[in-house]
Amino acid sequence: MKEVVSDPSFEARRFRDTLGHYASGITIIGGLEGDEPVGFTCQSFYSVSADPPLVSFSVMTNSTTYPRIRETGKFSVNVLSSGQHAVSNQFARKGTDKWAGIEWAPTAHRNPVIADTLMWLDCDLWAEHEAGDHYIVIGRVLEMSPPEWHKHEPLLYFKGQYRHLRDQGTQVG
Ligand SMILES: Cc1cc2nc3c(=O)[nH]c(=O)nc-3n(C[C@H](O)[C@H](O)[C@H](O)COP(=O)(O)O)c2cc1C
């Protein structure tokens, strides 16, 4: 019988492909370094706790943007809307001017909020845990987008592609 040799690069690809079946939204995690906004595209965002209100995201330990956000001790979460796939691509490119052509404004807590998103959160950095090649970052939510902001459909990410909702939803329960 042939020996089964595991190819680590194959397993890494299979891990990515398998996990790609978990559909999600897309966010831009942002911070203000002085008056200069910084940010990066981030899929791995979720809510953690209601009391206190906590959310989390994971970021690669080799991110050049995240250490600049960490320095400020806070961050914004900009959840992208259906028309913003170009924004997602723009904020995923290392070493470029990610904010070129982006309309944004600072929140009261001085985090950047991008125009025309699905919703946004203003957070204080609550905790950070190293986990393999990522940091798990936890934030305490200080402020949220007001109800009148919420007028768009979401941008979805599934199996390595951007997707859009096809129907109006089905009642839970
Ligand atoms: C759809 C999509 C989702 C992404 N999700 C994450 C993520 O969850 N965590 C992460 O660290 N990087 C994620 N990235 C990659 C980062 O956006 C990218 O590596 C980052 O912008 C690198 O630039 P930096 O060195 O300026 O941080 C994602 C990229 C794309 C296109």
Side-chain angles (χ1 to χ4, degrees):
M1 207 173 107
K2 259 190 173 169
E3 195 188 345
V4 181
V5 183
S6 76
D7 171 354
S9 67
F10 172 77
E11 284 303 312
R13 196 178 62 231
R14 203 156 76 83
F15 179 70
R16 233 187 5 257
D17 289 350
T18 305
L19 272 293
H21 288 79
Y22 189 66
S24 73
I26 299 274
T27 75
I28 306 297
I29 304 296
L32 263 188
E33 198 178 45
D35 287 333
E36 194 194 335
V38 292
F40 66 96
T41 305
C42 185
Q43 175 206 8
S44 55
F45 164 77
Y46 65 105
S47 67
V48 172
S49 159
D51 185 17
L54 303 177
V55 295
S56 178
F57 66 86
S58 301
V59 59
M60 286 183 279
T61 51
N62 70 1
S63 164
T64 56
T65 301
Y66 175 64
R68 299 164 72 185
I69 295 175
R70 178 204 276 137
E71 240 353 79
T72 72
K74 53 198 172 180
F75 62 88
S76 57
V77 180
N78 296 269
V79 180
L80 297 184
S81 58
S82 56
Q84 294 184 307
H85 55 269
V87 176
S88 173
N89 287 337
Q90 187 162 325
F91 279 85
R93 283 185 207 115
K94 252 183 208 301
T96 58
D97 180 7
K98 294 180 174 184
W99 294 84
I102 301 289
E103 197 186 321
W104 67 276
T107 62
H109 301 283
R110 290 197 50 78
N111 283 309
V113 158
I114 296 172
D116 296 322
T117 56
L118 188 64
M119 65 91 156
W120 55 261
L121 302 172
D122 215 356
C123 304
D124 247 351
L125 217 156
W126 169 272
E128 183 188 292
H129 306 284
E130 199 169 337
D133 56 8
H134 277 63
Y135 297 115
I136 299 170
V137 182
I138 300 176
R140 186 190 172 111
V141 179
L142 303 171
E143 191 69 68
M144 295 173 278
S145 44
E148 59 273 20
W149 186 282
H150 307 147
K151 43 183 190 242
H152 293 292
E153 294 279 293
L155 178 66
L156 303 178
Y157 191 64
F158 179 59
K159 294 207 284 184
Q161 294 196 308
Y162 298 118
R163 310 277 184 136
H164 299 104
L165 284 182
R166 202 184 290 157
D167 64 38
Q168 295 304 307
T170 305
Q171 201 76 32
V172 174

mmCIF file of all heavy atoms in Angstrom, residues 3 12 23 26 34 36 46 51 54 65 72 74 82 93 96 133 135 166:
data_model
loop_
_atom_site.group_PDB
_atom_site.id
_atom_site.type_symbol
_atom_site.label_atom_id
_atom_site.label_comp_id
_atom_site.label_asym_id
_atom_site.label_seq_id
_atom_site.Cartn_x
_atom_site.Cartn_y
_atom_site.Cartn_z
ATOM 1 N N GLU A 3 2.187 4.845 0.866
ATOM 2 C CA GLU A 3 2.175 5.665 2.084
ATOM 3 C C GLU A 3 1.369 6.946 1.806
ATOM 4 O O GLU A 3 1.480 7.521 0.724
ATOM 5 C CB GLU A 3 3.618 6.032 2.438
ATOM 6 C CG GLU A 3 3.779 6.564 3.837
ATOM 7 C CD GLU A 3 5.187 7.092 4.061
ATOM 8 O OE1 GLU A 3 6.071 6.783 3.236
ATOM 9 O OE2 GLU A 3 5.379 7.806 5.036
ATOM 10 N N ALA A 12 -3.659 23.310 3.642
ATOM 11 C CA ALA A 12 -3.946 24.728 3.901
ATOM 12 C C ALA A 12 -5.003 25.228 2.919
ATOM 13 O O ALA A 12 -5.918 25.959 3.300
ATOM 14 C CB ALA A 12 -2.671 25.557 3.775
ATOM 15 N N ALA A 23 -20.748 31.523 4.925
ATOM 16 C CA ALA A 23 -21.056 32.834 4.326
ATOM 17 C C ALA A 23 -21.012 33.918 5.398
ATOM 18 O O ALA A 23 -21.368 33.671 6.550
ATOM 19 C CB ALA A 23 -22.428 32.787 3.679
ATOM 20 N N ILE A 26 -18.980 41.545 4.997
ATOM 21 C CA ILE A 26 -17.605 42.067 4.893
ATOM 22 C C ILE A 26 -17.553 43.400 5.634
ATOM 23 O O ILE A 26 -18.465 44.220 5.496
ATOM 24 C CB ILE A 26 -17.214 42.333 3.422
ATOM 25 C CG1 ILE A 26 -17.249 41.056 2.592
ATOM 26 C CG2 ILE A 26 -15.869 43.019 3.325
ATOM 27 C CD1 ILE A 26 -15.993 40.248 2.627
ATOM 28 N N GLY A 34 -3.882 60.165 14.281
ATOM 29 C CA GLY A 34 -3.914 61.623 14.154
ATOM 30 C C GLY A 34 -5.145 61.970 13.337
ATOM 31 O O GLY A 34 -6.266 61.622 13.723
ATOM 32 N N GLU A 36 -5.200 61.015 10.103
ATOM 33 C CA GLU A 36 -5.116 60.123 8.948
ATOM 34 C C GLU A 36 -5.871 58.811 9.204
ATOM 35 O O GLU A 36 -5.565 58.082 10.159
ATOM 36 C CB GLU A 36 -3.637 59.811 8.654
ATOM 37 C CG GLU A 36 -3.431 59.187 7.293
ATOM 38 C CD GLU A 36 -2.030 58.569 7.170
ATOM 39 O OE1 GLU A 36 -1.115 59.010 7.892
ATOM 40 O OE2 GLU A 36 -1.891 57.640 6.356
ATOM 41 N N TYR A 46 -17.712 39.212 14.252
ATOM 42 C CA TYR A 46 -18.944 38.662 14.840
ATOM 43 C C TYR A 46 -19.221 39.324 16.186
ATOM 44 O O TYR A 46 -18.325 39.921 16.782
ATOM 45 C CB TYR A 46 -18.847 37.133 15.009
ATOM 46 C CG TYR A 46 -17.788 36.681 15.986
ATOM 47 C CD1 TYR A 46 -18.138 36.219 17.255
ATOM 48 C CD2 TYR A 46 -16.437 36.715 15.656
ATOM 49 C CE1 TYR A 46 -17.173 35.808 18.163
ATOM 50 C CE2 TYR A 46 -15.468 36.308 16.561
ATOM 51 C CZ TYR A 46 -15.840 35.850 17.802
ATOM 52 O OH TYR A 46 -14.885 35.459 18.700
ATOM 53 N N ASP A 51 -23.960 42.021 27.203
ATOM 54 C CA ASP A 51 -23.752 42.802 28.425
ATOM 55 C C ASP A 51 -22.434 42.410 29.095
ATOM 56 O O ASP A 51 -22.384 41.388 29.775
ATOM 57 C CB ASP A 51 -24.926 42.572 29.378
ATOM 58 C CG ASP A 51 -24.823 43.461 30.615
ATOM 59 O OD1 ASP A 51 -24.045 44.450 30.569
ATOM 60 O OD2 ASP A 51 -25.504 43.164 31.605
ATOM 61 N N LEU A 54 -19.980 43.481 23.344
ATOM 62 C CA LEU A 54 -18.650 43.198 22.796
ATOM 63 C C LEU A 54 -18.755 42.591 21.410
ATOM 64 O O LEU A 54 -19.679 41.821 21.128
ATOM 65 C CB LEU A 54 -17.888 42.219 23.704
ATOM 66 C CG LEU A 54 -17.676 42.615 25.155
ATOM 67 C CD1 LEU A 54 -16.957 41.484 25.911
ATOM 68 C CD2 LEU A 54 -16.884 43.913 25.263
ATOM 69 N N THR A 65 -1.491 47.457 8.986
ATOM 70 C CA THR A 65 -2.479 48.456 9.403
ATOM 71 C C THR A 65 -2.910 48.247 10.854
ATOM 72 O O THR A 65 -3.074 49.213 11.602
ATOM 73 C CB THR A 65 -3.715 48.389 8.479
ATOM 74 O OG1 THR A 65 -3.286 48.639 7.145
ATOM 75 C CG2 THR A 65 -4.764 49.402 8.870
ATOM 76 N N THR A 72 -4.106 53.371 18.752
ATOM 77 C CA THR A 72 -5.134 54.363 19.104
ATOM 78 C C THR A 72 -6.043 53.836 20.221
ATOM 79 O O THR A 72 -6.796 54.608 20.823
ATOM 80 C CB THR A 72 -6.022 54.732 17.889
ATOM 81 O OG1 THR A 72 -6.884 53.622 17.581
ATOM 82 C CG2 THR A 72 -5.188 55.086 16.660
ATOM 83 N N LYS A 74 -8.672 52.025 19.927
ATOM 84 C CA LYS A 74 -10.090 51.969 19.524
ATOM 85 C C LYS A 74 -10.181 51.652 18.038
ATOM 86 O O LYS A 74 -9.168 51.679 17.335
ATOM 87 C CB LYS A 74 -10.788 53.288 19.846
ATOM 88 C CG LYS A 74 -10.093 54.503 19.289
ATOM 89 C CD LYS A 74 -10.570 55.763 19.983
ATOM 90 C CE LYS A 74 -9.711 56.940 19.535
ATOM 91 N NZ LYS A 74 -10.089 58.191 20.142
ATOM 92 N N SER A 82 -24.300 46.314 -0.370
ATOM 93 C CA SER A 82 -24.223 45.483 -1.588
ATOM 94 C C SER A 82 -23.414 46.107 -2.732
ATOM 95 O O SER A 82 -22.817 45.374 -3.505
ATOM 96 C CB SER A 82 -25.622 45.132 -2.061
ATOM 97 O OG SER A 82 -26.363 46.305 -2.252
ATOM 98 N N ARG A 93 -5.706 45.822 -0.284
ATOM 99 C CA ARG A 93 -4.405 45.947 -0.963
ATOM 100 C C ARG A 93 -3.388 46.621 -0.060
ATOM 101 O O ARG A 93 -3.503 47.808 0.253
ATOM 102 C CB ARG A 93 -4.574 46.756 -2.262
ATOM 103 C CG ARG A 93 -5.195 45.915 -3.345
ATOM 104 C CD ARG A 93 -5.273 46.646 -4.680
ATOM 105 N NE ARG A 93 -6.394 46.106 -5.445
ATOM 106 C CZ ARG A 93 -7.484 46.776 -5.796
ATOM 107 N NH1 ARG A 93 -7.604 48.051 -5.490
ATOM 108 N NH2 ARG A 93 -8.458 46.181 -6.455
ATOM 109 N N THR A 96 -1.054 50.519 -0.377
ATOM 110 C CA THR A 96 -1.648 51.443 -1.349
ATOM 111 C C THR A 96 -2.399 52.528 -0.588
ATOM 112 O O THR A 96 -2.576 52.419 0.631
ATOM 113 C CB THR A 96 -2.652 50.704 -2.259
ATOM 114 O OG1 THR A 96 -3.662 50.109 -1.419
ATOM 115 C CG2 THR A 96 -1.978 49.609 -3.070
ATOM 116 N N ASP A 133 -1.555 32.426 13.542
ATOM 117 C CA ASP A 133 -1.041 33.548 12.746
ATOM 118 C C ASP A 133 -1.987 34.754 12.757
ATOM 119 O O ASP A 133 -1.873 35.651 11.926
ATOM 120 C CB ASP A 133 -0.730 33.101 11.302
ATOM 121 C CG ASP A 133 -1.929 32.473 10.609
ATOM 122 O OD1 ASP A 133 -3.036 32.519 11.171
ATOM 123 O OD2 ASP A 133 -1.743 31.950 9.498
ATOM 124 N N TYR A 135 -4.386 37.640 15.411
ATOM 125 C CA TYR A 135 -4.814 38.155 16.718
ATOM 126 C C TYR A 135 -6.338 38.150 16.721
ATOM 127 O O TYR A 135 -6.954 38.551 15.725
ATOM 128 C CB TYR A 135 -4.358 39.608 16.932
ATOM 129 C CG TYR A 135 -2.876 39.824 16.961
ATOM 130 C CD1 TYR A 135 -2.259 40.574 15.965
ATOM 131 C CD2 TYR A 135 -2.098 39.302 17.989
ATOM 132 C CE1 TYR A 135 -0.890 40.794 15.976
ATOM 133 C CE2 TYR A 135 -0.724 39.525 18.011
ATOM 134 C CZ TYR A 135 -0.135 40.261 17.001
ATOM 135 O OH TYR A 135 1.219 40.471 17.024
ATOM 136 N N ARG A 166 -30.805 37.250 -2.499
ATOM 137 C CA ARG A 166 -31.708 37.024 -3.618
ATOM 138 C C ARG A 166 -33.174 37.149 -3.190
ATOM 139 O O ARG A 166 -34.058 37.286 -4.010
ATOM 140 C CB ARG A 166 -31.446 35.634 -4.189
ATOM 141 C CG ARG A 166 -31.913 35.489 -5.608
ATOM 142 C CD ARG A 166 -31.738 34.079 -6.113
ATOM 143 N NE ARG A 166 -30.338 33.725 -6.298
ATOM 144 C CZ ARG A 166 -29.889 32.464 -6.302
ATOM 145 N NH1 ARG A 166 -30.719 31.464 -6.108
ATOM 146 N NH2 ARG A 166 -28.612 32.212 -6.494
#
